[in-house]
Amino acid sequence: MPLTRWLAEYAWLPDHAEPTRDVLIEAEDGRITAVTPLVGGGAPMAGVEVLRDAVRLPGLTLPGLANAHSHAFHRALRGRTHGGRGDFWSWRDGMYDVAARLDPDTYLALARAAYAEMALAGITCVGEFHYLHHGPDGTPYADPNAMGAALVEAAAHAGIRLTLLDTCYLTATVDGAPLTGPQRRFGDGDALRWAERVSAFAPDDDHARTGAAIHSVRAVPAEQLATVAGWADRNGMPLHVHLSEQPAENDACRALHGCTPTRLLADHGVLGRHTTAVHATHPTGADLALLGESRTGICLCPTTERDLADGIGPARRMAEAGSPLSLGSDSHAVVDLFEEARAVELDERLRTRRRGHFSPVELFTAATVAGHAALGWADAGRLAVGDRADLVTVRLDSARTAGVPPVGAFFAATAADISHVVVDGRVVVADGRHRTVDVPTELRDAIEAVTS
């Protein structure tokens, strides 16, 4: 890939409290090779000829955004499950209806469109929490990893990177009730057979990596938690887990095991620097200490958590305890990491009735470098030499951002303000349009195929 230069009107550089004006960014073979702030309109040690062939990026340029928690097929539920009464458990019935209809071909089409929508929103890497493994009745496909392969292909078509968090899902409840109905396609029988299946799948494209996930303490019996965690550790892979998303999960765990889900995970070696707990909406003070002391990350998904009436997690206390925070769009009720980042701060304001819990830099970090780290891409999320050439440019002249200082973008911009997206040095979105996918049309067609 030839040398490419971009001239960013503003760029948010590592260790800077706010964006820097007029920055020349150079990349070759998908890696950033130079980041040069300009002085007085001209670059030191670089003349006019260098600037002449640079692609100009008006607005604020950020490193790529990382969506650390996704269920791609949930995109088909948008606008269909938001009305009426109920809670997470009633919403889940509608989700299972869609899950039962998918096969490798329809999943490829739906995920391709969903991931392309993420690209339009500035997301350059996604963590797919994947548990739709087998046929609707639980029978494996001829290729037991056909559904995972469809997701890898979908991300390639959409132009973004993927960490396929292959999820162990064995039981329906904390006390070990068997999988029934649509849940049957999630299961591998036991954790050893799960590990055997996942070990046989190795994406051969540089845009995709495999990770592991424990669906929840409801879905993996306590005696098998260490098997999943040990497999992830031996293979150097990130490990994710849904944790304390609803109070009912905590109550059931206490009733059976005499402890919280966090304590159960800690006792079986699940927590640690390479583990990310998703949601953690209802932790105790002792849970927060366990998560923080082990440096277990927390992935917050505020738009989903409020859509499902799950509650507001103690984000500030999590960060102060030592847990790195990342962000996810989860059910894709909204695909907008600016909104997720804002919500971390704004939900804290609602919970505490005080303002000013997170600085713009903290929110920026959660949406970029921390999210990439949680997905196993330590070389992404910064505009720095040697890192992946992921650039996301936000318009500062839209109806939402006009007159807003660049540092305030996380409190003003939306996904609709993204103008350009570069992933590994390749242009994926230009002037607000995906280069290869007609996103609205493909979303409409893919969703109709699994809901009509």
Side-chain angles (χ1 to χ4, degrees), residues 115-130:
Y115 293 157
E117 180 186 6
M118 292 182 199
L120 289 176
I123 293 165
T124 59
C125 185
V126 61
E128 183 63 35
F129 202 97
H130 167 55

Side-chain angles (χ1 to χ4, degrees), residues 93-424:
D93 293 337
M95 181 265 285
Y96 281 167
D97 287 343
V98 172
R101 294 169 175 253
L102 289 160
D103 58 35
D105 291 335
T106 55
Y107 206 9
L108 170 59
L110 179 56
R112 166 186 157 104
Y115 293 157
E117 180 186 6
M118 292 182 199
L120 289 176
I123 293 165
T124 59
C125 185
V126 61
E128 183 63 35
F129 202 97
H130 167 55
Y131 51 82
L132 294 183
H133 300 310
H134 307 300
D137 64 354
T139 302
Y141 292 103
D143 172 4
N145 289 294
M147 295 290 269
L151 292 166
V152 170
E153 184 178 352
H157 290 178
I160 66 174
R161 290 191 303 276
L162 169 78
T163 297
L164 186 70
L165 297 163
D166 197 292
T167 304
C168 188
Y169 197 134
L170 306 174
T171 56
T173 59
V174 172
D175 59 3
L179 302 178
T180 59
Q183 290 182 321
R184 289 179 296 174
R185 71 183 313 176
F186 308 162
D188 287 295
D190 59 42
L192 287 175
R193 279 180 280 181
W194 166 85
E196 181 180 6
R197 178 182 56 75
V198 182
S199 296
F201 183 62
D204 57 4
D205 195 306
D206 289 342
H207 82 284
R209 295 178 179 175
T210 304
I214 293 166
H215 180 274
S216 60
V217 298
R218 302 193 312 273
V220 178
E223 66 274 12
Q224 299 192 54
L225 293 170
T227 300
V228 182
W231 183 88
D233 184 60
R234 287 191 301 274
N235 288 281
M237 294 179 175
L239 174 64
H240 288 219
V241 54
H242 287 138
L243 179 63
S244 293
E245 189 173 358
Q246 302 86 28
E249 176 184 306
N250 291 356
D251 294 343
C253 190
R254 287 192 183 96
L256 184 66
H257 298 293
C259 64
T260 66
T262 301
R263 178 78 260 178
L264 187 69
L265 296 178
D267 289 347
H268 289 83
V270 175
L271 304 185
R273 292 180 180 272
H274 299 294
T275 299
T276 297
V278 182
H279 303 304
T281 307
H282 302 283
T284 65
D287 291 341
L288 291 174
L290 285 170
L291 293 166
E293 289 167 5
S294 63
R295 296 299 183 263
T296 298
I298 308 290
C299 180
L300 302 170
C301 307
T303 63
T304 292
E305 289 151 9
R306 67 192 182 204
D307 177 52
L308 300 182
D310 285 339
I312 300 172
R316 185 69 256 173
R317 292 175 62 198
M318 293 170 178
E320 290 173 350
S323 291
L325 303 184
S326 57
L327 303 171
S329 64
D330 194 0
S331 68
H332 314 312
V334 176
V335 175
D336 187 337
L337 285 198
F338 295 126
E339 176 64 16
E340 304 294 349
R342 270 195 295 276
V344 173
E345 165 66 22
L346 298 180
D347 284 357
E348 276 290 288
R349 294 181 184 187
L350 285 175
R351 194 176 63 82
T352 65
R353 291 178 291 174
R354 289 188 296 106
R355 304 177 78 226
H357 299 273
F358 290 91
S359 70
V361 171
E362 288 178 298
L363 300 178
F364 167 67
T365 299
T368 56
V369 65
H372 283 98
L375 297 176
W377 302 86
D379 57 352
R382 303 181 307 158
L383 297 179
V385 173
D387 273 26
R388 292 174 177 271
D390 297 346
L391 284 68
V392 173
T393 301
V394 185
R395 291 179 56 190
L396 295 178
D397 62 353
S398 75
R400 292 162 293 279
T401 60
V404 174
V407 73
F410 273 92
F411 289 95
T414 73
D417 297 315
I418 300 294
S419 60
H420 288 76
V421 178
V422 175
V423 183
D424 287 329

